[in-house]
Amino acid sequence: MLFGRERKPTWRERLRNAVWPRRGVARPFVYLAKRLPRLSATPHAIAAGFASGAAGSFTPFLGFHFLLSFGLAYIVRGNMIAAAFGTAVGNPLTFPLIFAATYEVGSVILGTFVGAVPDAQTIEAQSEALISGGLFTMGFDRLWPLLKTMSVGSIPLGIIAFLFFYTAVRLIIAGVQKSRKARLAGKAQVPENAALPPGGE
């Protein structure tokens, strides 16, 4: 193939790129920082949308974060594009921490906490199994306790994430939009010492 790859990447290379992309982990966040202020929406809509995406990422249902985020954004009147961007809070680097935290908090709420949290990779693998048909292969009796605990734990953590990102994003977007309006207003003003056109008074 003329412009194709010389060889296909191995599974190890694909795994490494998923965890640590070649172009850098910070690249997507730099893109978000530039793209969010350009959305034609109010600071509330952008902040509520992004916060909805962040909150949805705390649920253990991988593969459904977009739908959950869109539903929440609709309720709080958030921007849907911002909600999609907000799901970036859940990524291969943060999922192990998120899953372990939601399981631990859920265990405390349900009264099943025994001071030990399952391995984060195990929790992530079992959550992904739900999306790939693991509900039938693993058995509902094995999967349900994990999902129930993580779902319960995701509620308070999701609320905290929503409030944090809503406040931070709204302040940033409001500041950027205010600065942009002032800059545009300054360009629109005619200098007082500008020369009058011929025949002008």
Side-chain angles (χ1 to χ4, degrees):
M1 189 172 179
L2 183 59
F3 297 103
R5 296 176 59 96
E6 295 181 0
R7 66 178 182 85
K8 293 183 178 180
T10 64
W11 68 270
R12 288 189 178 88
E13 292 174 338
R14 290 197 297 267
L15 178 61
R16 179 179 60 81
N17 290 334
V19 176
W20 194 271
R22 290 183 176 180
R23 296 184 178 182
V25 176
R27 184 181 178 88
F29 298 99
V30 173
Y31 172 78
L32 290 179
K34 294 180 178 180
R35 187 69 179 85
L36 278 178
R38 296 180 181 178
L39 295 177
S40 57
T42 64
H44 164 78
I46 297 175
F50 189 90
S52 297
S57 297
F58 276 76
T59 64
F61 305 110
L62 294 178
F64 295 98
H65 286 169
F66 281 110
L67 296 179
L68 294 172
S69 301
F70 292 156
L72 182 56
Y74 178 80
I75 295 174
V76 298
R77 297 184 178 182
N79 183 276
M80 296 298 174
I81 298 178
F85 287 151
T87 59
V89 171
N91 56 72
L93 294 178
T94 60
F95 275 143
L97 298 176
I98 291 175
F99 292 148
T102 55
Y103 185 89
E104 185 170 359
V105 172
S107 298
V108 173
I109 295 175
L110 295 175
T112 59
F113 180 71
V114 294
V117 180
D119 182 77
Q121 292 182 350
T122 300
I123 297 175
E124 182 178 3
Q126 291 179 335
S127 297
E128 291 178 344
L130 175 65
I131 308 304
S132 61
L135 179 63
F136 305 100
T137 60
M138 293 176 57
F140 186 77
D141 58 331
R142 293 176 54 194
L143 196 58
W144 170 243
L146 176 68
L147 292 179
K148 180 178 70 172
T149 303
M150 294 175 66
S151 297
V152 171
S154 70
I155 295 175
L157 293 180
I159 293 174
I160 294 174
F162 183 95
L163 295 176
F164 172 79
F165 283 105
Y166 176 83
T167 302
V169 173
R170 178 161 185 167
L171 289 174
I172 294 173
I173 297 301
V176 171
Q177 290 186 353
K178 183 178 180 179
S179 176
R180 181 187 301 166
K181 289 181 180 179
R183 186 170 62 253
L184 293 176
K187 291 182 179 180
Q189 290 179 353
V190 179
E192 295 181 356
N193 58 352
L196 293 176
E201 298 181 359

PDB file of all heavy atoms in Angstrom, residues 67-83:
ATOM      1  N   LEU A  67     -23.680   9.033  26.592  1.00  0.00           N
ATOM      2  CA  LEU A  67     -25.130   9.091  26.772  1.00  0.00           C
ATOM      3  C   LEU A  67     -25.490   9.639  28.144  1.00  0.00           C
ATOM      4  O   LEU A  67     -26.400  10.481  28.275  1.00  0.00           O
ATOM      5  CB  LEU A  67     -25.730   7.689  26.582  1.00  0.00           C
ATOM      6  CG  LEU A  67     -25.589   7.077  25.191  1.00  0.00           C
ATOM      7  CD1 LEU A  67     -26.198   5.681  25.158  1.00  0.00           C
ATOM      8  CD2 LEU A  67     -26.252   7.964  24.134  1.00  0.00           C
ATOM      9  N   LEU A  68     -24.798   9.184  29.181  1.00  0.00           N
ATOM     10  CA  LEU A  68     -25.058   9.682  30.523  1.00  0.00           C
ATOM     11  C   LEU A  68     -24.751  11.175  30.623  1.00  0.00           C
ATOM     12  O   LEU A  68     -25.505  11.936  31.247  1.00  0.00           O
ATOM     13  CB  LEU A  68     -24.215   8.901  31.538  1.00  0.00           C
ATOM     14  CG  LEU A  68     -24.559   7.420  31.709  1.00  0.00           C
ATOM     15  CD1 LEU A  68     -23.520   6.734  32.588  1.00  0.00           C
ATOM     16  CD2 LEU A  68     -25.949   7.257  32.314  1.00  0.00           C
ATOM     17  N   SER A  69     -23.666  11.585  29.993  1.00  0.00           N
ATOM     18  CA  SER A  69     -23.273  12.994  30.034  1.00  0.00           C
ATOM     19  C   SER A  69     -24.270  13.870  29.279  1.00  0.00           C
ATOM     20  O   SER A  69     -24.621  14.961  29.742  1.00  0.00           O
ATOM     21  CB  SER A  69     -21.877  13.167  29.435  1.00  0.00           C
ATOM     22  OG  SER A  69     -20.936  12.401  30.158  1.00  0.00           O
ATOM     23  N   PHE A  70     -24.739  13.389  28.118  1.00  0.00           N
ATOM     24  CA  PHE A  70     -25.723  14.152  27.352  1.00  0.00           C
ATOM     25  C   PHE A  70     -27.031  14.282  28.130  1.00  0.00           C
ATOM     26  O   PHE A  70     -27.679  15.334  28.118  1.00  0.00           O
ATOM     27  CB  PHE A  70     -25.982  13.492  26.004  1.00  0.00           C
ATOM     28  CG  PHE A  70     -24.807  13.554  25.069  1.00  0.00           C
ATOM     29  CD1 PHE A  70     -24.665  12.629  24.048  1.00  0.00           C
ATOM     30  CD2 PHE A  70     -23.827  14.526  25.218  1.00  0.00           C
ATOM     31  CE1 PHE A  70     -23.584  12.675  23.184  1.00  0.00           C
ATOM     32  CE2 PHE A  70     -22.742  14.589  24.361  1.00  0.00           C
ATOM     33  CZ  PHE A  70     -22.617  13.658  23.346  1.00  0.00           C
ATOM     34  N   GLY A  71     -27.438  13.202  28.797  1.00  0.00           N
ATOM     35  CA  GLY A  71     -28.664  13.250  29.582  1.00  0.00           C
ATOM     36  C   GLY A  71     -28.567  14.243  30.722  1.00  0.00           C
ATOM     37  O   GLY A  71     -29.494  15.035  30.960  1.00  0.00           O
ATOM     38  N   LEU A  72     -27.447  14.227  31.427  1.00  0.00           N
ATOM     39  CA  LEU A  72     -27.249  15.160  32.532  1.00  0.00           C
ATOM     40  C   LEU A  72     -27.145  16.590  32.023  1.00  0.00           C
ATOM     41  O   LEU A  72     -27.695  17.526  32.623  1.00  0.00           O
ATOM     42  CB  LEU A  72     -25.996  14.781  33.318  1.00  0.00           C
ATOM     43  CG  LEU A  72     -25.662  15.641  34.540  1.00  0.00           C
ATOM     44  CD1 LEU A  72     -26.826  15.669  35.516  1.00  0.00           C
ATOM     45  CD2 LEU A  72     -24.396  15.130  35.221  1.00  0.00           C
ATOM     46  N   ALA A  73     -26.438  16.775  30.903  1.00  0.00           N
ATOM     47  CA  ALA A  73     -26.304  18.112  30.324  1.00  0.00           C
ATOM     48  C   ALA A  73     -27.667  18.663  29.907  1.00  0.00           C
ATOM     49  O   ALA A  73     -27.933  19.863  30.046  1.00  0.00           O
ATOM     50  CB  ALA A  73     -25.355  18.082  29.129  1.00  0.00           C
ATOM     51  N   TYR A  74     -28.528  17.800  29.407  1.00  0.00           N
ATOM     52  CA  TYR A  74     -29.880  18.239  29.024  1.00  0.00           C
ATOM     53  C   TYR A  74     -30.652  18.718  30.242  1.00  0.00           C
ATOM     54  O   TYR A  74     -31.369  19.727  30.179  1.00  0.00           O
ATOM     55  CB  TYR A  74     -30.617  17.085  28.344  1.00  0.00           C
ATOM     56  CG  TYR A  74     -32.043  17.418  27.959  1.00  0.00           C
ATOM     57  CD1 TYR A  74     -32.313  18.142  26.809  1.00  0.00           C
ATOM     58  CD2 TYR A  74     -33.107  17.011  28.756  1.00  0.00           C
ATOM     59  CE1 TYR A  74     -33.616  18.458  26.457  1.00  0.00           C
ATOM     60  CE2 TYR A  74     -34.412  17.321  28.420  1.00  0.00           C
ATOM     61  CZ  TYR A  74     -34.667  18.039  27.262  1.00  0.00           C
ATOM     62  OH  TYR A  74     -35.960  18.356  26.922  1.00  0.00           O
ATOM     63  N   ILE A  75     -30.508  18.020  31.351  1.00  0.00           N
ATOM     64  CA  ILE A  75     -31.231  18.391  32.579  1.00  0.00           C
ATOM     65  C   ILE A  75     -30.764  19.737  33.107  1.00  0.00           C
ATOM     66  O   ILE A  75     -31.579  20.571  33.529  1.00  0.00           O
ATOM     67  CB  ILE A  75     -31.057  17.300  33.648  1.00  0.00           C
ATOM     68  CG1 ILE A  75     -31.729  15.998  33.188  1.00  0.00           C
ATOM     69  CG2 ILE A  75     -31.631  17.751  34.989  1.00  0.00           C
ATOM     70  CD1 ILE A  75     -31.492  14.831  34.121  1.00  0.00           C
ATOM     71  N   VAL A  76     -29.457  19.975  33.100  1.00  0.00           N
ATOM     72  CA  VAL A  76     -28.913  21.214  33.661  1.00  0.00           C
ATOM     73  C   VAL A  76     -28.732  22.287  32.595  1.00  0.00           C
ATOM     74  O   VAL A  76     -28.110  23.321  32.857  1.00  0.00           O
ATOM     75  CB  VAL A  76     -27.568  20.941  34.370  1.00  0.00           C
ATOM     76  CG1 VAL A  76     -27.763  19.990  35.535  1.00  0.00           C
ATOM     77  CG2 VAL A  76     -26.526  20.393  33.389  1.00  0.00           C
ATOM     78  N   ARG A  77     -29.241  22.033  31.379  1.00  0.00           N
ATOM     79  CA  ARG A  77     -29.163  22.985  30.277  1.00  0.00           C
ATOM     80  C   ARG A  77     -27.717  23.313  29.915  1.00  0.00           C
ATOM     81  O   ARG A  77     -27.337  24.481  29.756  1.00  0.00           O
ATOM     82  CB  ARG A  77     -29.934  24.265  30.609  1.00  0.00           C
ATOM     83  CG  ARG A  77     -31.420  24.024  30.800  1.00  0.00           C
ATOM     84  CD  ARG A  77     -32.173  25.315  31.019  1.00  0.00           C
ATOM     85  NE  ARG A  77     -33.613  25.077  31.149  1.00  0.00           N
ATOM     86  CZ  ARG A  77     -34.524  26.030  31.313  1.00  0.00           C
ATOM     87  NH1 ARG A  77     -34.132  27.296  31.370  1.00  0.00           N
ATOM     88  NH2 ARG A  77     -35.797  25.728  31.432  1.00  0.00           N
ATOM     89  N   GLY A  78     -26.941  22.258  29.795  1.00  0.00           N
ATOM     90  CA  GLY A  78     -25.547  22.425  29.411  1.00  0.00           C
ATOM     91  C   GLY A  78     -25.345  22.201  27.932  1.00  0.00           C
ATOM     92  O   GLY A  78     -26.201  21.644  27.236  1.00  0.00           O
ATOM     93  N   ASN A  79     -24.211  22.635  27.429  1.00  0.00           N
ATOM     94  CA  ASN A  79     -23.859  22.486  26.030  1.00  0.00           C
ATOM     95  C   ASN A  79     -23.436  21.045  25.753  1.00  0.00           C
ATOM     96  O   ASN A  79     -22.601  20.485  26.476  1.00  0.00           O
ATOM     97  CB  ASN A  79     -22.719  23.450  25.680  1.00  0.00           C
ATOM     98  CG  ASN A  79     -22.341  23.410  24.231  1.00  0.00           C
ATOM     99  OD1 ASN A  79     -21.561  22.569  23.808  1.00  0.00           O
ATOM    100  ND2 ASN A  79     -22.892  24.320  23.445  1.00  0.00           N
ATOM    101  N   MET A  80     -24.008  20.422  24.725  1.00  0.00           N
ATOM    102  CA  MET A  80     -23.744  19.020  24.441  1.00  0.00           C
ATOM    103  C   MET A  80     -22.306  18.787  23.975  1.00  0.00           C
ATOM    104  O   MET A  80     -21.690  17.769  24.309  1.00  0.00           O
ATOM    105  CB  MET A  80     -24.724  18.500  23.387  1.00  0.00           C
ATOM    106  CG  MET A  80     -26.169  18.511  23.844  1.00  0.00           C
ATOM    107  SD  MET A  80     -26.423  17.426  25.269  1.00  0.00           S
ATOM    108  CE  MET A  80     -28.134  17.785  25.671  1.00  0.00           C
ATOM    109  N   ILE A  81     -21.762  19.715  23.200  1.00  0.00           N
ATOM    110  CA  ILE A  81     -20.378  19.563  22.738  1.00  0.00           C
ATOM    111  C   ILE A  81     -19.431  19.647  23.930  1.00  0.00           C
ATOM    112  O   ILE A  81     -18.474  18.867  24.044  1.00  0.00           O
ATOM    113  CB  ILE A  81     -20.033  20.636  21.697  1.00  0.00           C
ATOM    114  CG1 ILE A  81     -20.934  20.488  20.470  1.00  0.00           C
ATOM    115  CG2 ILE A  81     -18.567  20.553  21.297  1.00  0.00           C
ATOM    116  CD1 ILE A  81     -20.691  21.532  19.401  1.00  0.00           C
ATOM    117  N   ALA A  82     -19.709  20.574  24.841  1.00  0.00           N
ATOM    118  CA  ALA A  82     -18.893  20.680  26.046  1.00  0.00           C
ATOM    119  C   ALA A  82     -19.005  19.418  26.895  1.00  0.00           C
ATOM    120  O   ALA A  82     -18.041  18.995  27.531  1.00  0.00           O
ATOM    121  CB  ALA A  82     -19.312  21.903  26.856  1.00  0.00           C
ATOM    122  N   ALA A  83     -20.184  18.808  26.905  1.00  0.00           N
ATOM    123  CA  ALA A  83     -20.372  17.559  27.651  1.00  0.00           C
ATOM    124  C   ALA A  83     -19.499  16.454  27.072  1.00  0.00           C
ATOM    125  O   ALA A  83     -18.903  15.664  27.810  1.00  0.00           O
ATOM    126  CB  ALA A  83     -21.842  17.149  27.626  1.00  0.00           C
TER     127      ALA A  83
END
